[in-house]
């Protein structure tokens, strides 16, 4: 024991590495110990950090004696304070990264700011300790980016690059800056950052260089500079030993936009030569050109395709439609011949689409023959469509036979079960039809056709309450479907629940405001509920305005005006009815009667005389003619 008050003989020295933080003997920097930092380092791929960073759970080593002495500030030496600050910075950085991974971006930003402040304080105490500057600034910029504070993120990245020139990760910062510019639609600046990052990357980082080329191509495409986009996509295709579908598809879209048919053909051939299992899934950050064509109801029964086959299918569709517009069938056949060796599912998809297009063009004979041919490749789907065709053609027996065969080929096809149930429905066997609709719903819970037809079958059996439940369930699945809304409103009307029916017909008019039948029904409901005759007249007039040939509406409006003694207004509607039914005498009599009520006696007399000429046997005309002549002093003495 020595007499000196400051005896440090029992304290172990802190190993300090100028290429890393104060840590163990290997001298690794903080970045080496961050682990998986994909949220901190945005780049063109999610997996690059696993190639360049190692995972370590080590912490900066501080002797227990130094840690104890750190409690009293007055007794700490400069070395001790720097070590404590370093440990605090490392902890703040790790907490910030974890908070970002948990999507707590605001808290992560506060931790990042605190880490920067402590790093600056550490450098003030020891100017030689700048190894954590890059990590803290990089983390702060990433936190700004996560909080959508893009301008501050870019400024922080620039500061980091300025203060850490020549840092091995400087290229990664350029990639992150390029991603921010890309998100802001500043494509020229994004391209500049990506190209600078490309210059700073080692040639050994071939995977990351390909990703960068990919994003550069996307930025050029977004800028409308298709030639430059083609060059970059082609470089990616040429540099990869295993070309991927996504890059090839993007390249195809560029040539499609440029109208280069020969290049499109060659790309489709190249893509067709790639088997699905030969091309790894591409998980790059920016697949901006990945086009997903919306599939309509006609395509819902198609077999499942992988992402690769979907891209190839889209390219094949575009190519077939652009090769020869005068002979689409020949173009389609050429595309199928190219794909048939390695992509039979895609060919089947194309052939099914072509058959359905023939149906839409009302070429039923050709469509039927195509579906019959498709039985060899996709039996259940072809038979299902043949059943539907026969049903629409009125051949219920053939439709039933095709449906039976489709169910035999695929017992779990909801559409085949619906087709068979429809045949029972057509024959009046509503109970069996209901059971098959329920079976289809068990297989496919959101099958629109099955639920809708189930509601109709229940209505036909007089079970309105359960039918209402079926349609209300369907309304939740398709809230804007007017057919479903109409069925709900109609059931309420049939049950005498006029307030509910009025509500649903009002919803229906919001969806289809010009449907005359809906407007007429709504007017009638206001009458039935004894609510507002003026509202009833309003909707009846709106119905007439949209469809002025409905005699029921015309007759009702004219009669209501007569009841209200508005004879002049009723004349117009009776005249419209007379134009629709010129051989019906009652409309002429109503017109003449209304003229008589408004004291247009001479006009009324002429109307009766005209009717007498057309309908000489009508006694009412003769009686009114005599009465009017007496009233106006023109008695026929003969």
């Amino acid at each position: 024991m020595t007499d000196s008050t400051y005896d440090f003989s029992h304290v172990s020295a802190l190993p300090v590495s100028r290429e890393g933080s104060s840590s163990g003997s290997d001298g690794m920097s903080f970045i080496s110990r961050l682990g998986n930092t994909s949220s901190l380092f945005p780049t063109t791929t999610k997996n690059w950090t696993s190639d360049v960073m190692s995972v370590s759970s080590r912490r900066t080593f501080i002797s227990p004696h130094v840690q104890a002495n750190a409690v009293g500030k007055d007794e700490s030496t400069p070395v001790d304070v720097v070590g404590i600050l370093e440990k605090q910075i490392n902890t703040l950085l790790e907490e910030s990264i974890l908070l970002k991974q948990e999507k707590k971006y605001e808290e992560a930003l506060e931790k990042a700011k605190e880490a920067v402040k402590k790093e600056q304080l550490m450098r003030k105490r020891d100017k030689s300790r700048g190894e954590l500057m890059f990590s803290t600034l990089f983390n702060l910029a990433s936190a700004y980016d996560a909080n959508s504070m893009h301008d501050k993120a870019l400024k922080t990245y620039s500061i980091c690059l300025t203060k850490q020139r020549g840092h091995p990760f400087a290229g990664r910062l350029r990639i992150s800056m390029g991603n921010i510019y890309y998100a802001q639609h500043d494509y020229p600046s994004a391209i500049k950052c990506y190209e600078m990052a490309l210059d700073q990357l080692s040639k050994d980082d071939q995977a990351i260089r390909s990703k960068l080329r990919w994003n550069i191509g996307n930025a050029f495409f977004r800028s409308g500079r298709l030639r430059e986009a083609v060059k970059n996509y082609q470089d990616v295709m040429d540099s990869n030993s295993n070309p991927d579908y996504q890059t090839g598809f993007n390249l195809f879209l560029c040539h499609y936009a440029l109208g280069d048919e020969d290049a499109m053909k060659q790309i489709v051939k190249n893509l067709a030569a790639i088997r699905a299992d030969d091309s790894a899934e591409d998980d790059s950050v920016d697949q901006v050109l990945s086009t997903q064509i919306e599939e309509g109801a006609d395509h819902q029964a198609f077999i499942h395709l992988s992402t690769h086959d979907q891209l190839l299918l889209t390219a094949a569709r575009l190519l077939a439609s652009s090769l020869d517009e005068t002979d689409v069938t020949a173009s389609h056949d050429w595309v199928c011949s190219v794909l048939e060796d390695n992509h039979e599912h895609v060919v089947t998809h194309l052939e099914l689409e072509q058959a359905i297009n023939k149906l839409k063009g009302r070429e039923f004979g050709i469509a039927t023959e195509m579906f019959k041919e498709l039985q060899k490749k996709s039996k259940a789907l072809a038979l299902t469509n043949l059943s539907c065709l026969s049903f629409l053609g009125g051949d219920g027996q053939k439709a039933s036979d095709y449906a039976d065969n489709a169910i035999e080929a695929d017992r779990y096809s909801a559409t085949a079960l619906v087709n068979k149930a429809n045949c029972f429905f057509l024959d009046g066997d509503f109970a069996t039809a209901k059971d098959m609709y329920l079976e289809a719903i068990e297989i496919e819970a959101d099958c629109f056709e099955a639920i809708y037809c189930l509601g109709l079958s229940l209505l036909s059996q007089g079970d309105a309450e359960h039918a209402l439940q079926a349609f209300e369930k369907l309304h939740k699945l398709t809230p804007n479907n007017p057919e479903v809304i109409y069925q709900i409103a109609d059931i309420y009307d049939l049950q005498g629940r006029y307030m509910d029916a009025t509500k649903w017909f009002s919803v229906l008019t919001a969806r289809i405001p010009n449907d005359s039948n809906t407007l007429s029904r709504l007017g009638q409901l206001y009458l039935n509920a004894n609510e507002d005759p003026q509202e009833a007249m309003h909707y009846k007039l709106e119905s007439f305005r949209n469809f002025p040939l409905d005699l029921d509406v015309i007759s009702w409006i004219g009669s209501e005006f007569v009841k209200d003694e508005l004879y002049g207004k009723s004349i117009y509607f009776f005249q419209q009815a007379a134009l629709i039914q010129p051989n019906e005498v009652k409309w002429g009599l109503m017109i003449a009667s209304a003229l008589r009520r408004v004291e247009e006696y001479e006009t009324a007399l002429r109307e009766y005389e005209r009717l007498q000429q057309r309908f000489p046997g009508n006694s009412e005309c003769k009686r009114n003619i005599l009465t009017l002549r007496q009233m106006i002093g023109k008695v026929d003495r003969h």
Side-chain angles (χ1 to χ4, degrees), residues 236-364:
V236 175
M237 293 290 286
D238 294 340
S239 63
N240 290 338
S241 57
N242 292 323
D244 64 278
Y245 278 99
Q246 185 65 60
T247 306
F249 178 74
N250 288 4
L251 185 58
F252 173 88
L253 286 182
C254 292
H255 286 299
Y256 179 80
L258 293 169
D260 192 341
E261 292 185 2
D262 293 334
M264 285 191 288
K265 283 184 177 182
Q266 187 57 49
I267 292 171
V268 169
K269 287 181 180 179
N270 293 340
L271 292 177
I274 306 173
R275 295 184 179 274
D277 51 359
D278 291 339
S279 178
E281 284 287 348
D282 192 350
D283 61 348
S284 61
V285 169
D286 189 16
Q287 295 186 2
V288 295
L289 302 182
S290 179
T291 303
Q292 180 63 44
I293 302 298
E294 282 292 329
E295 299 291 353
D298 295 330
H299 303 273
Q300 289 178 355
F302 283 175
I303 51 181
H304 173 72
L305 292 179
S306 66
T307 303
H308 302 123
D309 284 344
Q310 287 175 1
L311 294 177
L312 187 56
L313 176 63
T314 304
R317 287 176 186 152
L318 295 173
L319 180 59
S321 65
S322 62
L323 285 180
D324 189 353
E325 296 180 358
T326 60
D327 191 355
V328 177
T329 302
S331 302
H332 180 273
D333 292 341
W334 182 89
V335 173
C336 289
S337 66
V338 172
L339 301 178
E340 61 185 359
D341 291 337
N342 294 335
H343 303 277
E344 185 177 353
H345 289 335
V346 177
V347 173
T348 303
H349 238 73
L350 287 171
E351 291 175 345
L352 282 168
E353 287 182 359
Q354 189 180 29
I356 290 173
N357 287 334
K358 295 296 182 183
L359 280 179
K360 291 179 179 179
R362 307 187 70 80
E363 299 179 50
F364 301 116

Side-chain angles (χ1 to χ4, degrees), residues 522-533 536 540 556 560:
L522 193 53
Q524 192 62 43
L525 282 167
Y526 276 106
L527 284 177
N528 294 341
N530 296 320
E531 279 202 2
D532 192 346
K540 290 287 186 180
W556 185 90
E560 286 297 310

Side-chain angles (χ1 to χ4, degrees), residues 625-626 629-630 633-638:
I625 288 172
L626 289 173
R629 283 178 177 176
Q630 290 174 356
K634 291 185 178 181
V635 179
D636 188 354
R637 298 183 183 278
H638 302 285

Side-chain angles (χ1 to χ4, degrees), residues 40-112:
L40 174 60
F41 296 95
T43 182
T44 54
T45 178
K46 298 176 183 177
N47 300 323
W48 69 269
T49 52
S50 62
D51 296 332
V52 297
M53 293 187 180
S54 60
V55 179
S56 176
S57 59
R58 290 183 297 103
R59 298 290 184 268
T60 303
F61 174 79
I62 298 179
S63 170
H65 298 289
V66 175
Q67 198 167 15
N69 290 338
V71 176
K73 292 184 180 179
D74 296 335
E75 298 181 2
S76 299
T77 66
V79 176
D80 297 337
V81 172
V82 169
I84 293 170
L85 285 172
E86 183 180 21
K87 181 178 180 180
Q88 292 174 347
I89 293 167
N90 288 341
T91 301
L92 287 169
L93 285 171
E94 292 178 4
E95 289 175 353
S96 176
I97 293 169
L98 291 174
L99 286 168
K100 275 185 288 183
Q101 291 176 345
E102 296 172 2
K103 300 187 183 303
K104 298 177 181 179
Y105 300 125
E106 293 182 1
E107 297 178 34
L109 179 59
E110 293 303 318
K111 295 287 185 181

Side-chain angles (χ1 to χ4, degrees), residues 603-634:
T603 308
L605 177 59
R606 287 195 295 270
E607 182 65 24
Y608 280 124
E609 289 174 343
R610 187 182 65 81
L611 290 172
Q612 179 65 29
Q613 291 177 357
R614 294 194 60 198
F615 307 97
N618 190 282
S619 59
E620 187 176 347
C621 282
K622 293 179 181 179
R623 185 172 60 252
N624 283 293
I625 288 172
L626 289 173
T627 302
L628 282 170
R629 283 178 177 176
Q630 290 174 356
M631 291 176 65
I632 62 178
K634 291 185 178 181

Side-chain angles (χ1 to χ4, degrees), residues 448 452 475 478-489 504-505 507-509 511-512 518:
F448 178 91
Y452 188 88
H475 177 65
T478 57
N480 296 319
N481 190 293
E483 295 178 357
V484 177
I485 296 172
Y486 175 83
Q487 293 295 342
I488 295 173
W504 282 97
F505 273 118
V507 173
L508 186 58
T509 56
R511 301 288 184 273
I512 43 173
T518 302

